[in-house]
Amino acid sequence: MLAQLDTIQTEALAAIAGISDEASLEEVRIAFLGKKGSLTAAAAGMRDVPADQKKDVGQKLNEVREAITSALEATSADLIAKKDAAAFASIDPTLPSRPLPKGGLHPLTLVLDEAVKVLRRMGFALAEGPEIETEWHCFDALNTPADHPARNESDTFYFENGKLLRTHTSSVQIRTMEKEVPPVRIIAPGSAFRRDEIDATHLSAFHQLEGLYVDQRVTLADLKGTLEYFFREIFGSKTEFRFRPHFFPFTEPSFEVDIKLHAAGRPSKWIEIAGCGMVDPAVFSEVGRKRGDAAYDPDKVTGFAFGMGLDRLAMIMYGIPDLRLLIENDVRFLQQFR
Amino acid sequence: MNVSLQWLGDHVDFSEYSIQQLDELLTFAGIEVEGIESLPNHLVVAQILSSEKHPDAEKLSVCQVDDGSGKPRQIVCGAKNYQVGDKVPLALPGCVLAAGEGKSFEIKEGKLRGVDSLGMMCSAKELGLAADADGLLILSPDLKPGTPMAEVYPAVFELEITPNRPDCLSHLGVARELAALAKKPLKGRAHFGETNTSARAAKADEVRLESGACPYYTARIIRGVKVTESPDWLKQKLISIGLRPINNLVDITNYVLMETGQPLHVFDLAKLEGGIVVRQAAEGETFLALDGKEYTLEAEDLVIADAKKAVAIGGVMGGEDSGVTETTTDVLLEAAYFNPQAVRRTGRRLGLHSDSSYRFERGVDPLQVAGVSEFATKLILDLAGGKADAELVVAGCPGEGPQPVALDNDYCRRIIGAEIPDATIDGILASLGLEKTGGAWKIPSFRLDLVRPIDLVEEVARVHGLDGIPATTMATFASASKADEAYDFLRSLQDRLASLGFHEARNLKLISGAQLADDLATSHRGMSPVRLKNPLNDEQDYLRPGIVPGLLASASRNVRFGTSDLRLFEAGRVFVASPKGDEIEHEHLALLMTGARIHRSWADSKPKSLDLHDLRAVLEAICPEGVNFVPVSDGKLLCACSVEIGSGKKAVKIGMAGIVPPARARELDLDAPVMVAELNLKKLMSVVKTEIRFADLPKFPGSSRDVAMLVPGDLAAGEVAAFFEGYDESLLISAELFDVFTDPTGAKLAPDKKSLAYSLLYRAPEKTLEAGEVEAAHGKLLDSLKKTFHVEFR
């Protein structure tokens, strides 16, 4: 009996070893383990085994069944794995990707968003105002003399009713102070317009980012600290910049901020990047006159304001040589900013 | 304004400063250096030793020159204006000269028509010292050969003086400022406020002031002058800052202007008929100015006149007929103060600007007028001879000068935010020429900008510089504003659209009248477009009432440059005017899609064109609530739809969508269908859910039934969708359209019919539905469909 079982095992393993498809494997399984299979038949002979051998034969029977079953399973798994592999064998993973439409944001949006992120971390909230402005909001309230050249029709777009297209986002300073009481800590991104023919460095409409902080004890040192932090966040902690005394009608003292630009293969140079200063008391007085209250009493509040050109910032950050690229919407240009 | 370094040296010794250090000193004074012109290296003074005809060229000469090396150098030259012995500029090999338009060339040893030429003798034009030149620049005979030309013509700074600092519009003014900042002494007087001239009030027939625009006028008569060429030192000074020498009298007025900032004018006394009258022009009065042009004046213009006619436009320009000529012998020297606004108004209206008007517009120092007149008189007597009247004839009064300004040093420290000691503050102000008298600062007469305490704070901050003050970061917390919410909302839309394959465009907000036809007129029923009063051109004379016109132009441009599969969006301000004329500004978002749905590739070599349903998919991707397209009649679009969120009475119209009429698209070179949408961002934001609440997940399975039905070909799917939306059956969870079938041949379906197939899902929240319950609900639904649309089920 034990010898017969050894023979069955040898025959079965030999049969399994020669198999290359699942159907033949099933036939082999039936031939040995099926109802009429040889091992099943041998198991039926257990009842004729003498009692003292029953234990050994039973154990042997289990060993043989185990060996055949595991050989069947291993071969089956092997066959399935081969079939699965064959199913994907024709795929060439080095083919180019199946395309998806690709889009992206305009470089001005990216620059603005970068600036807004930093300034929001610094506690500035956004503000806005109309682009079609009154002369009062754009010039008078900002301490600009009545015969200032910026008011010329040759420099500023006007409408028949006397309103104009704002020449700077500084008008939002006035709009905000009209509505809110100090402390005011705002930034206002937006369009501004100047009557310039369009060329590589001029657009008739451009983008600015205005900032204003008014409170009881705002100082020039705060302005310095704020802009230094801002520009280091934008251009890196090693950025060199300088505050150059300048003149604006609505701030005093006034400065322009230059950063040092390092371009490969060229001598580094200072590039003007922002204008800033302490809000001129005359601006507070005019706002107070309009409000009819003392919220902006120039003896009680001080403030700083700053403004920068986003188009210029984009040109510097991305090395864009010509402003017109920013309004032509050529996809070959836009896709460089994805 | 051009400022010569050498000229500055008349006032302050900057010899140990490099050009770069001076640049920095000026920059931190608040004076912008727009350019620095300096002559190149390897350019020296040379003396012409001999000149012979070129053997092979009629127009050339072969010169031997002394370049200071001790050995004669041979130069071939084409100029004719020199004599042997003259001193001229010589560019040696290696010298780099500007050739205009940013280009330059290097001088090399070479041959000209076979004769060695070891350098180039230069004209004033070649050195950038004059716009035009006739022959070589002949230098002063006193110069030593070999002297670098950079010493003869020192650097010239092109400065931008801010409008608050007219006192810096002269060499003395700039020198005064730099001396204060560099803590250096001035060599001579700080200004011309004091004079030894005796003056007398003008008689009515000498000078009469009839206009408030000229509060102060002085005249001095000088007789027996000789009009000739100016001496070299004077000519060279004017040339160095880009002015052309004319004759000694004119040159003196120009020189004094550039030296002191006070404009002067010299009249030929013989051409004046009677005394000077300063008056407003007669309306329509014509005037021939020195520039040779005739100007028609208005009553608001100020003129200097004699008894008969205008002889100058006050502060702007003299007249052609009363100016100095070679035959002039007796002159009247005018030095006056004109009201800045009046000069600015006239100059602007006439488009006439001069070095004089530039200074009067910004403000000259009235207290310097008499002193400068005296200074100029002395120069005229020195250089042109003659005899001056002993007394200056004066009309009006120069005023008292600036009022003293009190400065509380604590106020100064509070604004600046730094503990600057009193001594530093006082020291800075004193260095600028202010004098502390009593409790206030006496302001120098030339500092017209120092009126309020804050003006003095500015001086302290400017001179002290920001380097020496701390960088502090005081801040308050900020709550999100409405603008913050709008910004964040738009930013999330921008990101979603970029992920959906859209590129963000930004167009100019100024468009042409023709482009208005492309506008979808989404948010302006009864409104009109806003037109500029003074557009630059007729391509940009309207403010955009919508964004689609700009996007179409962008698409057209891209297609012409070879990109025809386009997904573009733009967000921004649009403008309309109400019937009353009030301008209204909205924030819009516009989308444009055209071309293939996906770029052609191995995966899909014949991709389908985008259609309106792709556009709707995009809108649904950015509006999680889903959007409805409600057909409307609109001449501007095919398949025009009102884009709505919600349905029935709660529907909110957020914009328009549709297909650009192919005829219009083809005009723009857009051959594939072009889908556009324009949405009002504020309306969109108002309907987008801001609050998200969790809902229980279904605990029991649902059961679905498909139904295919034949409907008239023109029945809009939206009507069926609206039916399901409004159908009152709590078990019906959803109805999805999964097939639309038509057969124009009529073989499988009548050509005027279409088949719509829906998958309907039934589910109850509290139990698994039994088949009978589903069938009952479904049967009821089919009946209702049949009644509503007269459908046949397939």
Side-chain angles (χ1 to χ4, degrees):
Chain A
M1 185 70 182
L2 288 173
Q4 187 195 349
L5 286 174
D6 275 337
T7 308
I8 289 172
Q9 178 172 344
T10 308
E11 283 172 8
L13 293 184
I16 291 167
I19 272 168
S20 61
D21 65 292
E22 288 177 84
S24 319
L25 189 68
E26 182 62 9
E27 281 171 25
V28 172
R29 190 189 66 78
I30 292 165
F32 291 90
L33 303 182
K35 275 183 188 166
K36 293 175 183 166
S38 49
L39 189 66
T40 316
M46 266 299 276
R47 62 184 108 98
D48 304 327
V49 175
D52 62 334
Q53 291 176 25
K54 262 197 168 77
K55 192 182 166 206
D56 287 348
V57 172
Q59 199 175 340
K60 182 72 183 175
L61 188 65
N62 283 341
E63 280 172 16
V64 171
R65 182 178 284 121
E66 185 64 24
I68 295 172
T69 306
S70 72
L72 280 168
E73 280 172 4
T75 304
S76 170
D78 197 37
L79 287 175
I80 288 170
K82 275 187 184 140
K83 201 171 104 185
D84 286 349
F88 296 97
S90 66
I91 289 178
D92 176 0
T94 65
L95 273 177
S97 65
R98 177 174 279 120
L100 283 174
K102 294 189 191 79
L105 302 183
H106 194 279
L108 282 175
T109 301
L110 298 177
V111 169
L112 171 62
D113 202 46
E114 189 68 31
V116 168
K117 273 182 191 154
V118 175
L119 289 160
R120 279 178 160 180
R121 286 204 293 277
M122 298 165 72
F124 286 87
L126 284 164
E128 59 182 15
E131 292 175 22
I132 298 177
E133 259 303 1
T134 65
E135 202 165 345
W136 185 81
H137 285 93
C138 195
F139 294 125
D140 298 308
L142 288 162
N143 196 33
T144 311
D147 59 349
H148 193 276
R151 300 196 191 215
N152 282 1
E153 278 198 13
S154 59
D155 294 338
T156 298
F157 289 117
Y158 281 89
F159 300 96
E160 288 296 347
N161 63 6
K163 286 190 183 173
L164 48 80
L165 279 176
R166 68 182 180 197
T167 57
H168 45 201
T169 45
S170 305
S171 54
V172 184
Q173 291 183 28
I174 305 302
R175 291 273 170 191
T176 306
M177 288 191 281
E178 272 183 287
K179 287 186 311 225
E180 322 254 333
V181 296
V184 161
R185 192 167 166 90
I186 54 121
I187 46 171
S191 294
F193 302 80
R194 276 174 210 171
R195 207 167 165 279
D196 276 334
E197 291 285 356
I198 293 177
D199 63 28
T201 54
H202 297 89
L203 293 179
S204 51
F206 47 96
H207 300 84
Q208 290 189 326
L209 178 64
E210 189 81 13
L212 173 71
Y213 180 34
V214 180
D215 203 347
Q216 304 254 352
R217 291 202 68 123
V218 180
T219 68
L220 189 58
D222 294 329
L223 171 61
K224 181 187 177 190
T226 302
L227 287 185
E228 280 190 3
Y229 177 83
F230 173 74
F231 284 118
R232 290 209 166 112
E233 287 288 293
I234 296 280
F235 290 108
S237 59
K238 296 213 173 82
T239 307
E240 287 179 77
F241 40 86
R242 63 183 192 187
F243 289 83
R244 242 181 328 107
H246 198 67
F247 171 77
F248 302 109
F250 40 94
T251 51
E252 183 159 28
S254 306
F255 293 86
E256 279 188 332
V257 187
D258 297 342
I259 65 162
K260 199 166 220 176
L261 202 65
H262 303 275
R266 287 201 200 152
S268 57
K269 57 174 181 178
W270 291 106
I271 294 275
E272 173 197 328
I273 198 152
C276 64
M278 300 301 292
V279 178
D280 194 297
V283 173
F284 289 139
S285 299
E286 186 64 6
V287 166
R289 202 184 56 75
K290 184 81 181 289
R291 288 177 60 100
D293 67 14
Y296 288 91
D297 182 346
D299 292 333
K300 303 233 169 71
V301 297
T302 55
F304 66 65
F306 58 85
M308 62 195 89
L310 292 170
D311 312 83
R312 193 177 178 78
L313 218 53
M315 284 177 105
I316 293 170
M317 281 171 79
Y318 300 118
I320 298 169
D322 188 328
L323 277 177
R324 285 170 292 197
L325 287 164
L326 294 172
I327 55 163
E328 285 171 347
N329 303 312
D330 189 321
V331 169
R332 296 167 303 173
F333 169 77
L334 295 175
Q335 69 191 6
Q336 296 178 22
F337 303 93
R338 303 201 273 246
Chain B
M1 180 182 63
N2 288 339
V3 166
S4 144
L5 182 52
Q6 184 192 35
W7 193 334
L8 278 183
D10 292 354
H11 301 286
V12 199
D13 179 10
F14 280 118
S15 52
E16 81 276 21
Y17 275 66
S18 69
I19 287 183
Q20 205 188 334
Q21 284 170 317
L22 273 172
D23 180 356
E24 206 147 285
L25 192 60
L26 285 158
T27 299
F28 283 98
I31 298 173
E32 203 165 326
V33 179
E34 296 205 309
I36 301 172
E37 273 186 31
S38 53
L39 288 178
N41 293 331
H42 309 297
L43 185 69
V44 299
V45 176
Q47 183 168 29
I48 301 173
L49 302 174
S50 68
S51 172
E52 282 164 19
K53 270 192 130 177
H54 189 290
D56 286 328
E58 188 80 345
K59 292 187 173 165
L60 298 180
S61 320
V62 180
C63 301
Q64 301 299 323
V65 306
D66 175 6
D67 61 6
S69 66
K71 229 170 63 184
R73 177 180 284 269
Q74 181 169 301
I75 308 286
V76 179
C77 168
K80 295 273 177 262
N81 68 319
Y82 60 86
Q83 291 172 351
V84 169
D86 276 350
K87 289 176 179 158
V88 296
L90 171 66
L92 297 169
C95 177
V96 179
L97 290 175
E101 292 172 8
K103 291 179 190 146
S104 62
F105 66 97
E106 187 182 329
I107 302 295
K108 290 182 179 137
E109 295 187 359
K111 285 180 196 290
L112 271 171
R113 292 287 187 96
V115 177
D116 284 341
S117 183
L118 309 177
M120 184 175 100
M121 296 191 283
C122 306
S123 69
K125 186 186 175 193
E126 281 157 342
L127 300 184
L129 297 172
D132 274 307
D134 207 6
L136 301 179
L137 172 60
I138 308 297
L139 301 168
S140 160
D142 305 335
L143 293 168
K144 238 183 100 202
T147 308
M149 280 295 291
E151 287 178 18
V152 183
Y153 287 92
V156 173
F157 289 85
E158 193 190 329
L159 304 180
E160 168 84 31
I161 309 290
T162 53
N164 60 327
R165 292 303 303 274
D167 60 300
C168 286
L169 290 171
S170 65
H171 282 79
L172 176 58
V174 172
R176 202 162 50 202
E177 186 69 18
L178 295 186
L181 294 173
K183 301 188 173 64
K184 279 176 161 286
L186 280 172
K187 288 180 182 171
R189 58 209 292 195
H191 65 118
F192 288 80
E194 284 173 11
T195 150
N196 300 319
T197 302
S198 50
R200 65 173 171 80
K203 294 177 209 141
D205 61 350
E206 285 176 322
V207 178
R208 203 164 69 237
L209 300 185
E210 291 184 351
S211 165
C214 176
Y216 185 50
Y217 192 97
T218 74
R220 185 183 307 260
I221 309 288
I222 306 169
R223 294 177 199 272
V225 299
K226 189 163 184 296
V227 178
T228 58
E229 217 178 299
S230 293
D232 284 344
W233 69 264
L234 178 52
K235 282 197 285 187
Q236 192 256 313
K237 269 208 157 79
L238 296 179
I239 289 168
S240 75
I241 58 166
L243 293 179
R244 192 165 53 96
I246 294 167
N247 60 48
N248 52 0
L249 291 186
V250 174
D251 292 353
I252 286 168
T253 59
N254 283 334
Y255 166 71
V256 171
L257 168 74
M258 294 301 171
E259 169 77 348
T260 68
Q262 169 66 46
L264 302 172
H265 189 68
V266 181
F267 294 104
D268 185 333
L269 198 58
K271 291 169 190 158
L272 297 180
E273 302 172 83
I276 294 284
V277 182
V278 183
R279 59 166 169 85
Q280 300 302 129
E283 191 74 32
E285 185 170 358
T286 58
F287 177 72
L288 184 63
L290 265 175
D291 63 359
K293 292 185 193 152
E294 190 172 89
Y295 294 90
T296 303
L297 305 178
E298 292 180 2
E300 64 169 24
D301 298 326
L302 181 73
V303 295
I304 315 302
D306 61 15
K308 300 240 167 95
K309 61 193 182 295
V311 291
I313 305 175
V316 180
M317 196 170 276
E320 177 79 8
D321 299 330
S322 58
V324 170
T325 64
E326 285 167 13
T327 59
T328 301
T329 56
D330 300 344
V331 297
L332 183 150
L333 173 66
E334 167 198 291
Y337 175 81
F338 296 106
N339 183 304
Q341 286 79 18
V343 174
R344 199 175 303 164
R345 203 164 48 220
T346 294
R348 191 177 296 169
R349 197 177 57 72
L350 298 176
L352 180 59
H353 302 282
S354 63
D355 285 331
S356 296
S357 66
Y358 189 76
R359 285 160 180 81
F360 281 125
E361 280 176 9
R362 282 160 179 75
V364 301
D365 175 2
L367 297 184
Q368 210 183 217
V369 170
V372 172
S373 174
E374 181 187 25
F375 175 59
T377 302
K378 190 168 172 301
L379 273 172
I380 291 172
L381 297 182
D382 284 353
L383 302 184
K387 193 169 181 338
D389 282 3
E391 286 172 318
L392 183 68
V393 177
V394 170
C397 154
E400 288 171 7
Q403 291 301 304
V405 179
L407 176 68
D408 174 356
N409 286 353
D410 283 336
Y411 170 72
C412 181
R413 285 185 280 264
R414 201 167 76 230
I415 295 284
I416 295 178
E419 282 309 312
I420 304 174
D422 285 343
T424 307
I425 294 173
D426 293 354
I428 286 171
L429 294 176
S431 75
L432 294 169
L434 281 70
E435 273 174 62
K436 202 163 195 175
T437 49
W441 288 93
K442 187 167 172 282
I443 309 296
S445 62
F446 50 85
R447 288 304 300 269
L448 306 172
D449 59 320
L450 303 183
V451 178
R452 305 168 298 167
I454 191 71
D455 301 328
L456 301 193
V457 174
E458 174 175 54
E459 293 307 288
V460 174
R462 185 173 68 92
V463 176
H464 189 268
L466 251 51
D467 279 350
I469 73 161
T472 53
T473 50
M474 182 166 96
T476 44
F477 299 147
S479 307
S481 63
K482 283 226 160 55
D484 277 300
E485 288 167 16
Y487 179 86
D488 291 336
F489 178 69
L490 176 60
R491 281 294 294 113
S492 75
L493 291 184
Q494 286 170 315
D495 284 340
R496 282 191 218 185
L497 285 165
S499 307
L500 291 165
F502 281 75
H503 278 112
E504 184 182 22
R506 281 187 187 237
N507 280 288
L508 277 187
K509 290 172 187 166
L510 295 169
I511 65 173
S512 68
Q515 278 180 288
L516 290 174
D518 290 330
D519 178 47
L520 305 191
T522 48
S523 61
H524 40 284
R525 231 167 291 144
M527 304 278 175
S528 51
V530 184
R531 187 160 196 268
L532 290 172
K533 178 185 169 196
N534 57 337
L536 267 174
N537 52 53
D538 58 10
E539 291 299 300
Q540 297 172 27
D541 53 350
Y542 281 94
L543 277 167
R544 63 179 186 190
I547 298 175
V548 163
L551 280 186
L552 276 172
S554 296
S556 176
R557 189 172 197 287
N558 273 294
V559 168
R560 278 186 277 117
F561 282 95
T563 313
S564 51
D565 299 338
L566 289 168
R567 294 168 184 231
L568 296 173
F569 79 94
E570 179 171 351
R573 204 72 65 94
V574 300
F575 309 81
V576 287
S578 74
K580 277 198 213 151
D582 299 327
E583 298 84 4
I584 301 169
E585 302 181 20
H586 294 291
E587 296 289 335
H588 274 195
L589 169 69
L591 292 84
L592 179 147
M593 304 175 87
T594 184
R597 191 170 292 165
I598 196 77
H599 289 304
R600 192 165 78 108
S601 75
W602 61 269
D604 185 354
S605 57
K606 284 181 189 156
K608 287 191 173 155
S609 281
L610 287 160
D611 60 28
L612 193 61
H613 312 297
D614 293 298
L615 178 64
R616 182 165 174 184
V618 170
L619 293 180
E620 291 192 340
I622 61 169
C623 314
E625 281 72 15
V627 297
N628 288 322
F629 272 27
V630 180
V632 292
S633 62
D634 179 304
K636 289 191 172 167
L637 292 175
L638 293 184
C639 300
C641 289
S642 160
V643 179
E644 303 182 359
I645 291 180
S647 57
K649 283 186 181 154
K650 285 188 189 158
V652 178
K653 291 180 185 169
I654 58 168
M656 289 278 293
I659 300 167
V660 177
R664 172 58 184 150
R666 279 191 293 268
E667 285 174 8
L668 297 165
D669 297 320
L670 301 166
D671 292 330
V674 182
M675 278 60 64
V676 291
E678 176 130 9
L679 311 178
N680 181 313
L681 271 174
K682 200 173 163 196
K683 283 189 185 163
L684 179 57
M685 191 172 161
S686 72
V687 290
V688 166
K689 269 193 297 203
T690 48
E691 199 183 336
I692 297 174
R693 298 288 302 168
F694 166 78
D696 277 334
L697 302 181
K699 291 194 177 65
F700 302 94
S703 193
S704 66
R705 296 289 184 274
D706 290 351
V707 56
M709 54 199 195
L710 272 183
V711 298
D714 59 357
L715 178 70
E719 290 186 40
V720 185
F723 166 84
F724 287 125
E725 179 82 13
Y727 185 68
D728 184 20
E729 167 58 72
S730 63
L731 298 182
L732 181 65
I733 301 300
S734 66
E736 273 176 25
L737 180 63
F738 69 87
D739 189 37
V740 178
F741 179 72
T742 54
D743 185 4
T745 67
K748 294 181 176 160
L749 209 63
D752 62 342
K753 296 271 185 187
K754 66 180 170 189
S755 162
L756 301 177
Y758 288 86
S759 171
L760 306 167
L761 177 68
Y762 297 91
R763 191 173 59 215
E766 73 287 357
K767 62 171 189 166
T768 304
L769 287 174
E770 294 184 17
E773 292 171 298
V774 175
E775 288 311 326
H778 190 53
K780 234 172 74 194
L781 177 75
L782 295 186
D783 285 348
S784 183
L785 268 174
K786 206 170 204 164
K787 268 187 213 141
T788 312
F789 297 112
H790 308 290
V791 299
E792 294 167 46
F793 297 107
R794 295 174 80 202

